[in-house]
Amino acid sequence: MAEATALPPRFQEWFAARGWAPRPHQMAMVEKGRQGRDALLIAPTGGGKTLAGFLPSLIQLSERAPRNTPAGVHTLYISPLKALAVDIERNLATPIREMGLNIVAESRTGDTGEARKQRQRLRPPDILLTTPEQLALFCAWEGAREYFADLSCVIIDEAHALWPSKRGDLLSLGLARLQKFAPNMRRVGLSATVDDPGLVRRWLGRDAEGVDLVLGQGGAQPIVEVLVSDGRVPWAGHTAEHAMAEIYEIIKGAKTALVFVNTRFQAEFAFQELWKLNDDGLAIALHHGSLAAEQRRKVEAAMARGEIRAVVCTSTLDMGIDWGDVDLVIQLAAPKGASRMVQRIGRANHRLDEPSRAILAPANRFEYLECRAAADAILGGHLDGDPARTGTLDTLAQHIMGCACSEPFAPTELYDEVRTSGPYADLSWEDFETVVDFVSTGGYALRTYDKFRRIVPGQDGLWRARNAQAVLAHRMNVGAIVSPAMINVRIGGGKRPMGGRKVGEAEEGFFEQMKAGDTFIFAGQVWRFNSLVGADAFVTPSPDKDPMLPSWGGSKFPLSTYLAGRVRAMMHDECEWPALPPDVQEWLNYQKVRSIIPDQDEMLLETFPHGKRFHLVCYPFEGRLAHTTLAMLLTRRLDRLGVGPLGFVANDYAVAIWSLKPMDQLDLQELFAQDMLGDDLEAWLDESFLMKRAFKACALISGLIERRHPGMEKSGRQVTFSTDLIYDVLRRHQPDHLLLRCARADAATGSLDVARLGDLLARIGGGRIRHAALDHVSPFAVPIMLEIGRERAPGDAAGEMILAEAEEDLIAEAMA
């Protein structure tokens, strides 16, 4: 082949010995390396992306002349997951060993032993594989400039998972710093799922035009099926419990199956249900982020050895790692995003020329439409997009502190450096000065407190870390991941329990609402809660089969904008209905007769009496976060109108509000006017715990509050107490404080999804709300009305009977 001649002989021979030929995108990346060009490679899973990223470095290192002095790091590889960095280290060892290359490649993560870290500091490996958090630590090292002076290339793997986040902001700032240390350094990004390459190129490079785009050839078309278990799709639910028996039979026919779910609760539930059905004694495992690291590593090792038939998992197994014999991916409940599903499907048959196989198991009828939309998007090559991003200022504050820990800096020089980072290209000098002032004083309202003085100016005009204690505190708290405060789940009982074996971790808030004797599912079995002591929750195994609390929720993914639009289009276009299951077709037809099917750009709103209450149900299809914010704001307005709202429920598809008085005569355009995002939003935020939660995250990222100290770690409750006090002080005395600005911005794009809500209100303005004033529950309203009942019902067998009876009554009313 013509392309193969461009490789050095030993590389050609290695490819030939394996029966391979270099792929065009691999050769294109070799050429980019020879030209010294930055590049973003987008290629399907199994197409040899990682090897393509490393080939230029391997070639350069194999051709280098001997040196009298030790060389520094040549290539820095950055992965979003520690496990992926370690896995790539193992995979990279194969070509290095088989070609006899004199190259040292080592990983360095938070799990790496101190002896190895010290050795790497004295004798850097040629290729260092690490994570964004370790890069932030490198930038805070004394001597970082000299350590990375020989750096030739940085490879960012799974770039799509990093760039649209604060981790991506911090990583981009780190790249800008490395570029100062090593001006000729190349930047390489790798990804399989990018909707808008221009945005990622702008993030990756100093400007989008300076990053060349390399596209890999498409692989075999995946096989994606939407499961209709027993020929029916349930009206409501979110666990796909109805399909478990069929899922188990499908697992029996596979070599190894990955069963993906979206929350830790769903993982625990699905694992429990599959074990109840496991009369064949199949090796079925559980893997999610709250399990003890030792347990996760055991599962991963057993998978690598081919000893496991199925793993029920969350996003912890989404990316990159090649698990060998996996030939099937099952998604329980809707995936919420096409890009996420493409990533998950790539775990099956991790080879370009063989089709990956996936089965989507919807939990209800709206989810069936979403799964169908996701399958069509995957087969059509459509991905979810992320909006353009502006770098966050709390992240910048952490970076500035890190720079001061490494060496003194001049503000004007650091400002120019920061603006070479894509997300901060438009940063104003005023904002930069504000951030420097914040790091040096804490801000106007806090400057009298000595503890917030972390950097100080010297007589030479350069800023530096105030003292060794400030440096140590920063290095112990780097990173932009703020997880919920976690509690160790340990086996033990009584008032003074001894520290028993650690089972895993769960969010602190979950245990704070429990009392001694409550039972719950965790790590695949039922436990009795005994006590909460410090950072430990003590539990003992429970004989109960039905826990009082099903589990803790974990995080939920929002429905992507792209899939939401496809679902609305599918509902509106009757030509698509014949391809749907008969009961879903019947559901849509009855909705058309008993209420309204809205146009794609309209929002349906129904009002009807039910029981002794009056209900308003609207169907924006904008995701749970935006819907919850909408419901909060609507109930405030309805209260002012004297309607007497009593409560609400929101899911990914709809919002239901119930009240004392009818709502069918309201001015709906006025009720949904865009000005609700003004004074109403501000008033609600002032009262809401969500702002305090957002402020806490910003305070931790910026370094204002430290969770970890030498010899101790603050509990989540201690951190919350500290940040709540500061939040109240700043709201009273400096309402325009940097961190309050950051918290508002985070709440708007994160926990509240105000930006998406704003898009909805703009879309339905000008008369695009379709109101159906009904005297009965509609077919579309049944699922969310059942959620109202589920939140109120007791979690026992009697409660399930009540819910089943209520479901029959609601369906009968809707379909009469």
Side-chain angles (χ1 to χ4, degrees), residues 505-705:
E505 298 177 336
E507 286 87 347
E508 189 173 50
F510 177 64
F511 292 107
E512 287 178 338
Q513 66 185 358
M514 295 176 67
K515 63 183 184 298
D518 284 350
T519 54
F520 64 100
I521 290 179
F522 186 80
Q525 70 179 88
V526 180
W527 302 90
R528 180 189 189 276
F529 173 71
N530 297 317
S531 61
L532 182 62
V533 180
D536 296 317
F538 289 94
V539 301
T540 46
S542 170
D544 294 350
K545 291 185 178 179
D546 296 313
M548 299 175 190
L549 301 169
S551 186
W552 81 111
S555 59
K556 291 182 174 69
F557 297 119
L559 174 65
S560 75
T561 302
Y562 176 79
L563 285 190
R566 279 291 301 130
V567 170
R568 290 197 302 268
M570 193 180 301
M571 288 192 317
H572 171 67
D573 186 358
E574 294 187 34
C575 294
E576 297 206 34
W577 295 6
L580 304 176
D583 54 357
V584 177
Q585 289 185 51
E586 180 188 46
W587 176 60
L588 291 170
N589 278 308
Y590 267 87
Q591 174 67 20
K592 181 181 176 182
V593 172
R594 301 278 286 162
S595 179
I596 292 172
I597 298 284
D599 288 344
Q600 185 176 348
D601 62 347
E602 294 178 329
M603 182 186 74
L604 172 63
L605 185 149
E606 298 169 334
T607 52
F608 51 83
H610 182 72
K612 297 180 180 180
R613 301 288 181 252
F614 298 92
H615 292 76
L616 179 154
V617 181
C618 59
Y619 306 88
F621 291 90
E622 295 294 349
R624 186 184 302 267
L625 296 178
H627 289 178
T628 301
T629 302
L630 174 63
M632 289 282 194
L633 298 178
L634 285 176
T635 52
R636 291 180 73 92
R637 290 193 158 189
L638 291 169
D639 193 47
R640 286 204 304 271
L641 292 170
V643 171
L646 298 172
F648 71 85
V649 168
N651 61 22
D652 274 323
Y653 315 106
V655 173
I657 298 173
W658 55 98
S659 65
L660 292 169
K661 296 181 181 179
M663 293 176 275
D664 52 343
Q665 298 301 313
L666 298 175
D667 183 338
L668 298 178
Q669 288 296 153
E670 181 64 26
L671 183 64
F672 283 83
Q674 286 181 268
D675 62 5
M676 78 160 63
L677 299 183
D679 291 344
D680 278 329
L681 178 62
E682 291 298 314
W684 177 50
L685 285 178
D686 285 343
E687 303 167 5
S688 172
F689 74 95
L690 290 172
M691 266 298 290
K692 287 191 173 182
R693 186 194 301 167
F695 179 84
K696 173 182 171 181
C698 294
L700 288 167
I701 289 173
S702 68
L704 185 75
I705 295 292

Side-chain angles (χ1 to χ4, degrees), residues 216-231:
Q217 294 177 334
Q221 187 84 309
I223 300 169
V224 185
E225 307 166 41
V226 181
L227 180 66
V228 181
S229 186
D230 292 329

Side-chain angles (χ1 to χ4, degrees), residues 92 167 200-201 302 319 379 387 420 497 619 669:
L92 198 56
R167 285 185 92 195
V200 185
R201 290 164 70 198
M319 287 182 287
L379 297 177
T420 65
Y619 306 88
Q669 288 296 153

